[in-house]
Amino acid sequence: GIVGMAFALMFRQRLLANRLVPKENYWNALTEKEQGLLMQYGDGGLTDNLAILPMVQRQVKRIVVFFNGYIPLPDMETTKEITYEIFPSTNLLPLFGVSVEGTKFGDFKHNHIFEKEKLDELISGFQDMKREGKPAVVRQRLRVLENKWWNIRGNWEVEILWFYLEHSDNFISRLPEDTKAELLKGKEGSLGNFPHYSTFDKDWFRNEEINLLQAYTEWCVLENVDLLKEFLNV
């Protein structure tokens, strides 16, 4: 992905500002065409913030994904069908063929590469781990669907180890009492809406927020270090 110019999408919709968006030729590495396609370059999050598409395009067989977003998981016990209105994740839903037409922040309609029913399996797995107070980590084997837009070959399987940034009771219970008290203040406290911080509408983060996120991510990895080693064959 191309990261660093998220406002390119808004600039593109304005005649004068549109000229500030850089344009370069883009070549698909899996085609033999000599002529590139002139495209505007913006931010990877406008198409694939997780960079899963290029890895699947290269037929990487095992992928570890750290999904560090700001959107809490939907409650699968009360949700009959996952939609963009219930779970507005433009990064995850399109990969499983769920429409995100309501978004104004990118073009994801070509990103369908996994079977739709596997999304319920994934979200349910996350929720099961959350209910146990553990990190939301799910290992999943997925059949890849052909995607001509991204030149992705179908009819093979990829294994993904998903880490989803979500609340964990076990982690919170290990924190100092003053930190727990600050978390109870929610958005009014110095730790805000931990662990779900939006980077789009926030110019800076407090040291406390960064340190707590770092500690939480480290804990999630250490809690699953054996799984990671086995998954990566190390």
Side-chain angles (χ1 to χ4, degrees):
I2 307 156
V3 179
M5 196 174 178
F7 52 83
L9 181 68
M10 293 175 282
F11 277 21
R12 190 181 66 179
Q13 299 167 354
R14 294 169 173 81
L15 181 60
L16 295 178
N18 185 42
R19 300 176 183 177
L20 299 176
V21 181
K23 296 180 180 179
E24 296 290 344
N25 280 317
Y26 177 84
W27 285 268
N28 187 326
L30 299 182
T31 66
E32 297 180 355
K33 295 181 180 179
E34 295 182 2
Q35 182 62 42
L37 180 65
L38 186 64
M39 299 185 69
Q40 290 182 316
Y41 278 54
D43 188 282
L46 304 178
T47 52
D48 175 24
N49 219 14
L50 301 176
I52 287 179
L53 292 172
M55 285 188 282
V56 173
Q57 189 183 61
R58 299 199 308 270
Q59 293 191 301
V60 175
K61 296 298 189 297
R62 288 188 173 184
I63 302 172
V64 179
V65 176
F66 283 84
F67 199 113
N68 299 325
Y70 62 94
I71 302 171
L73 292 167
D75 185 355
M76 292 303 292
E77 292 184 355
T78 60
T79 301
K80 294 182 179 179
E81 182 182 6
I82 299 176
T83 63
Y84 177 69
E85 289 70 27
I86 294 173
F87 183 47
S89 172
T90 55
N91 298 310
L92 191 60
L93 300 189
L95 296 173
F96 294 87
V98 177
S99 172
V100 294
E101 288 185 1
T103 183
K104 298 178 181 179
F105 300 105
D107 185 359
F108 307 92
K109 61 179 176 291
H110 301 293
N111 293 6
H112 186 192
I113 57 172
F114 300 134
E115 296 168 314
K116 189 174 182 180
E117 56 268 24
K118 289 294 184 176
L119 178 62
D120 290 349
E121 174 186 281
L122 177 60
I123 302 299
S124 295
F126 285 147
Q127 286 287 13
D128 289 343
M129 300 300 287
K130 179 183 177 181
R131 276 190 287 270
E132 294 179 20
K134 299 177 180 179
V137 179
V138 173
R139 183 173 183 170
Q140 196 176 36
R141 185 179 294 275
L142 299 165
R143 187 171 72 89
V144 177
L145 307 178
E146 182 184 23
N147 185 309
K148 293 183 178 180
W149 178 270
W150 291 111
N151 205 357
I152 289 175
R153 300 177 181 89
N155 199 29
W156 61 280
E157 290 187 339
V158 60
E159 199 169 6
I160 299 181
L161 186 60
W162 305 89
F163 284 74
Y164 194 91
L165 187 64
E166 184 53 88
H167 178 90
S168 168
D169 288 336
N170 290 358
F171 175 74
I172 300 299
S173 68
R174 289 166 166 78
L175 295 174
E177 293 302 319
D178 58 342
T179 305
K180 293 179 186 177
E182 197 64 29
L183 284 171
L184 289 175
K185 298 177 183 179
K187 294 181 180 180
E188 303 302 320
S190 63
L191 295 173
N193 195 34
F194 176 83
H196 299 122
Y197 299 135
S198 171
T199 58
F200 193 81
D201 55 3
K202 189 168 184 172
D203 296 328
W204 58 276
F205 288 87
R206 299 183 181 93
N207 289 341
E208 300 94 322
E209 294 172 320
I210 295 171
N211 290 338
L212 191 57
L213 273 177
Q214 179 274 325
Y216 181 46
T217 302
E218 179 185 25
W219 178 79
C220 290
V221 170
L222 292 177
E223 287 290 296
N224 292 277
V225 67
D226 291 336
L227 174 60
L228 270 166
K229 286 181 176 180
E230 187 274 325
F231 186 80
L232 296 174
N233 291 321
V234 295

mmCIF file of all heavy atoms in Angstrom, residues 45 47 71 84 87-95 100 103 105 108 111:
data_model
loop_
_atom_site.group_PDB
_atom_site.id
_atom_site.type_symbol
_atom_site.label_atom_id
_atom_site.label_comp_id
_atom_site.label_asym_id
_atom_site.label_seq_id
_atom_site.Cartn_x
_atom_site.Cartn_y
_atom_site.Cartn_z
ATOM 1 N N GLY A 45 -4.693 3.050 2.960
ATOM 2 C CA GLY A 45 -5.963 2.816 3.624
ATOM 3 C C GLY A 45 -7.177 3.086 2.762
ATOM 4 O O GLY A 45 -8.297 2.718 3.117
ATOM 5 N N THR A 47 -7.596 1.749 -0.084
ATOM 6 C CA THR A 47 -7.883 0.524 -0.840
ATOM 7 C C THR A 47 -7.661 -0.743 -0.011
ATOM 8 O O THR A 47 -8.490 -1.637 -0.004
ATOM 9 C CB THR A 47 -6.999 0.424 -2.109
ATOM 10 O OG1 THR A 47 -5.634 0.607 -1.736
ATOM 11 C CG2 THR A 47 -7.407 1.466 -3.130
ATOM 12 N N ILE A 71 -12.357 0.304 15.822
ATOM 13 C CA ILE A 71 -13.752 -0.128 15.794
ATOM 14 C C ILE A 71 -13.935 -1.370 16.661
ATOM 15 O O ILE A 71 -13.325 -2.405 16.394
ATOM 16 C CB ILE A 71 -14.200 -0.431 14.350
ATOM 17 C CG1 ILE A 71 -14.016 0.805 13.469
ATOM 18 C CG2 ILE A 71 -15.651 -0.902 14.323
ATOM 19 C CD1 ILE A 71 -14.229 0.549 11.997
ATOM 20 N N TYR A 84 -22.079 -3.274 7.009
ATOM 21 C CA TYR A 84 -21.260 -2.086 7.238
ATOM 22 C C TYR A 84 -21.883 -1.185 8.304
ATOM 23 O O TYR A 84 -21.174 -0.539 9.075
ATOM 24 C CB TYR A 84 -21.096 -1.319 5.926
ATOM 25 C CG TYR A 84 -20.318 -0.032 6.068
ATOM 26 C CD1 TYR A 84 -18.955 -0.061 6.358
ATOM 27 C CD2 TYR A 84 -20.941 1.203 5.913
ATOM 28 C CE1 TYR A 84 -18.240 1.120 6.492
ATOM 29 C CE2 TYR A 84 -20.223 2.384 6.039
ATOM 30 C CZ TYR A 84 -18.871 2.338 6.336
ATOM 31 O OH TYR A 84 -18.169 3.508 6.471
ATOM 32 N N PHE A 87 -20.955 -2.985 11.651
ATOM 33 C CA PHE A 87 -19.515 -3.111 11.872
ATOM 34 C C PHE A 87 -18.793 -2.381 10.739
ATOM 35 O O PHE A 87 -18.416 -2.989 9.743
ATOM 36 C CB PHE A 87 -19.140 -4.593 11.905
ATOM 37 C CG PHE A 87 -17.695 -4.876 12.197
ATOM 38 C CD1 PHE A 87 -17.033 -4.249 13.241
ATOM 39 C CD2 PHE A 87 -16.993 -5.815 11.442
ATOM 40 C CE1 PHE A 87 -15.702 -4.520 13.515
ATOM 41 C CE2 PHE A 87 -15.664 -6.100 11.713
ATOM 42 C CZ PHE A 87 -15.012 -5.450 12.754
ATOM 43 N N PRO A 88 -18.610 -1.053 10.868
ATOM 44 C CA PRO A 88 -18.087 -0.253 9.753
ATOM 45 C C PRO A 88 -16.591 -0.393 9.528
ATOM 46 O O PRO A 88 -15.825 0.564 9.622
ATOM 47 C CB PRO A 88 -18.458 1.176 10.167
ATOM 48 C CG PRO A 88 -18.443 1.143 11.653
ATOM 49 C CD PRO A 88 -18.934 -0.224 12.038
ATOM 50 N N SER A 89 -16.153 -1.601 9.206
ATOM 51 C CA SER A 89 -14.739 -1.857 8.953
ATOM 52 C C SER A 89 -14.492 -1.976 7.451
ATOM 53 O O SER A 89 -14.784 -3.011 6.843
ATOM 54 C CB SER A 89 -14.288 -3.147 9.657
ATOM 55 O OG SER A 89 -12.971 -3.484 9.270
ATOM 56 N N THR A 90 -13.957 -0.923 6.865
ATOM 57 C CA THR A 90 -13.676 -0.951 5.426
ATOM 58 C C THR A 90 -12.476 -1.833 5.105
ATOM 59 O O THR A 90 -12.267 -2.211 3.958
ATOM 60 C CB THR A 90 -13.400 0.473 4.898
ATOM 61 O OG1 THR A 90 -12.346 1.061 5.661
ATOM 62 C CG2 THR A 90 -14.650 1.339 5.017
ATOM 63 N N ASN A 91 -11.675 -2.155 6.117
ATOM 64 C CA ASN A 91 -10.483 -2.971 5.885
ATOM 65 C C ASN A 91 -10.790 -4.455 5.851
ATOM 66 O O ASN A 91 -10.165 -5.212 5.109
ATOM 67 C CB ASN A 91 -9.450 -2.697 6.984
ATOM 68 C CG ASN A 91 -8.977 -1.268 6.991
ATOM 69 O OD1 ASN A 91 -8.587 -0.738 5.959
ATOM 70 N ND2 ASN A 91 -9.033 -0.616 8.142
ATOM 71 N N LEU A 92 -11.755 -4.895 6.655
ATOM 72 C CA LEU A 92 -12.026 -6.325 6.793
ATOM 73 C C LEU A 92 -13.200 -6.799 5.933
ATOM 74 O O LEU A 92 -13.100 -7.805 5.233
ATOM 75 C CB LEU A 92 -12.298 -6.657 8.261
ATOM 76 C CG LEU A 92 -12.335 -8.145 8.632
ATOM 77 C CD1 LEU A 92 -11.004 -8.814 8.317
ATOM 78 C CD2 LEU A 92 -12.672 -8.302 10.106
ATOM 79 N N LEU A 93 -14.315 -6.090 5.985
ATOM 80 C CA LEU A 93 -15.537 -6.560 5.329
ATOM 81 C C LEU A 93 -15.384 -6.802 3.824
ATOM 82 O O LEU A 93 -15.839 -7.839 3.321
ATOM 83 C CB LEU A 93 -16.688 -5.580 5.577
ATOM 84 C CG LEU A 93 -17.091 -5.317 7.032
ATOM 85 C CD1 LEU A 93 -18.377 -4.491 7.086
ATOM 86 C CD2 LEU A 93 -17.280 -6.624 7.792
ATOM 87 N N PRO A 94 -14.773 -5.899 3.056
ATOM 88 C CA PRO A 94 -14.680 -6.113 1.608
ATOM 89 C C PRO A 94 -13.917 -7.377 1.224
ATOM 90 O O PRO A 94 -14.199 -7.977 0.181
ATOM 91 C CB PRO A 94 -13.948 -4.861 1.109
ATOM 92 C CG PRO A 94 -14.240 -3.830 2.131
ATOM 93 C CD PRO A 94 -14.247 -4.575 3.433
ATOM 94 N N LEU A 95 -12.966 -7.794 2.055
ATOM 95 C CA LEU A 95 -12.211 -9.015 1.745
ATOM 96 C C LEU A 95 -13.123 -10.230 1.691
ATOM 97 O O LEU A 95 -12.849 -11.205 0.982
ATOM 98 C CB LEU A 95 -11.127 -9.248 2.800
ATOM 99 C CG LEU A 95 -10.017 -8.198 2.887
ATOM 100 C CD1 LEU A 95 -9.119 -8.487 4.078
ATOM 101 C CD2 LEU A 95 -9.203 -8.170 1.596
ATOM 102 N N VAL A 100 -19.406 -2.091 1.447
ATOM 103 C CA VAL A 100 -19.199 -0.933 2.319
ATOM 104 C C VAL A 100 -19.506 0.342 1.536
ATOM 105 O O VAL A 100 -18.817 1.356 1.655
ATOM 106 C CB VAL A 100 -17.754 -0.898 2.876
ATOM 107 C CG1 VAL A 100 -17.513 -2.072 3.803
ATOM 108 C CG2 VAL A 100 -16.722 -0.914 1.741
ATOM 109 N N THR A 103 -19.371 4.097 2.832
ATOM 110 C CA THR A 103 -18.172 4.838 3.215
ATOM 111 C C THR A 103 -17.818 5.917 2.185
ATOM 112 O O THR A 103 -18.081 5.769 0.996
ATOM 113 C CB THR A 103 -16.969 3.899 3.381
ATOM 114 O OG1 THR A 103 -15.843 4.662 3.816
ATOM 115 C CG2 THR A 103 -16.621 3.213 2.056
ATOM 116 N N PHE A 105 -14.588 7.058 2.398
ATOM 117 C CA PHE A 105 -13.148 7.092 2.597
ATOM 118 C C PHE A 105 -12.419 6.009 1.827
ATOM 119 O O PHE A 105 -11.570 5.303 2.368
ATOM 120 C CB PHE A 105 -12.830 6.988 4.095
ATOM 121 C CG PHE A 105 -13.411 8.099 4.908
ATOM 122 C CD1 PHE A 105 -14.515 7.879 5.704
ATOM 123 C CD2 PHE A 105 -12.868 9.368 4.852
ATOM 124 C CE1 PHE A 105 -15.063 8.908 6.460
ATOM 125 C CE2 PHE A 105 -13.400 10.406 5.600
ATOM 126 C CZ PHE A 105 -14.509 10.179 6.402
ATOM 127 N N PHE A 108 -13.348 0.154 -2.172
ATOM 128 C CA PHE A 108 -13.038 -1.203 -1.738
ATOM 129 C C PHE A 108 -13.839 -2.275 -2.480
ATOM 130 O O PHE A 108 -13.777 -3.436 -2.128
ATOM 131 C CB PHE A 108 -13.304 -1.340 -0.225
ATOM 132 C CG PHE A 108 -12.616 -0.296 0.603
ATOM 133 C CD1 PHE A 108 -13.258 0.890 0.920
ATOM 134 C CD2 PHE A 108 -11.326 -0.490 1.052
ATOM 135 C CE1 PHE A 108 -12.623 1.864 1.688
ATOM 136 C CE2 PHE A 108 -10.681 0.467 1.825
ATOM 137 C CZ PHE A 108 -11.336 1.652 2.137
ATOM 138 N N ASN A 111 -12.255 -5.774 -3.677
ATOM 139 C CA ASN A 111 -11.366 -6.487 -2.754
ATOM 140 C C ASN A 111 -11.853 -7.866 -2.313
ATOM 141 O O ASN A 111 -11.259 -8.469 -1.417
ATOM 142 C CB ASN A 111 -11.124 -5.638 -1.502
ATOM 143 C CG ASN A 111 -10.322 -4.384 -1.807
ATOM 144 O OD1 ASN A 111 -10.038 -4.075 -2.954
ATOM 145 N ND2 ASN A 111 -9.956 -3.657 -0.771
#
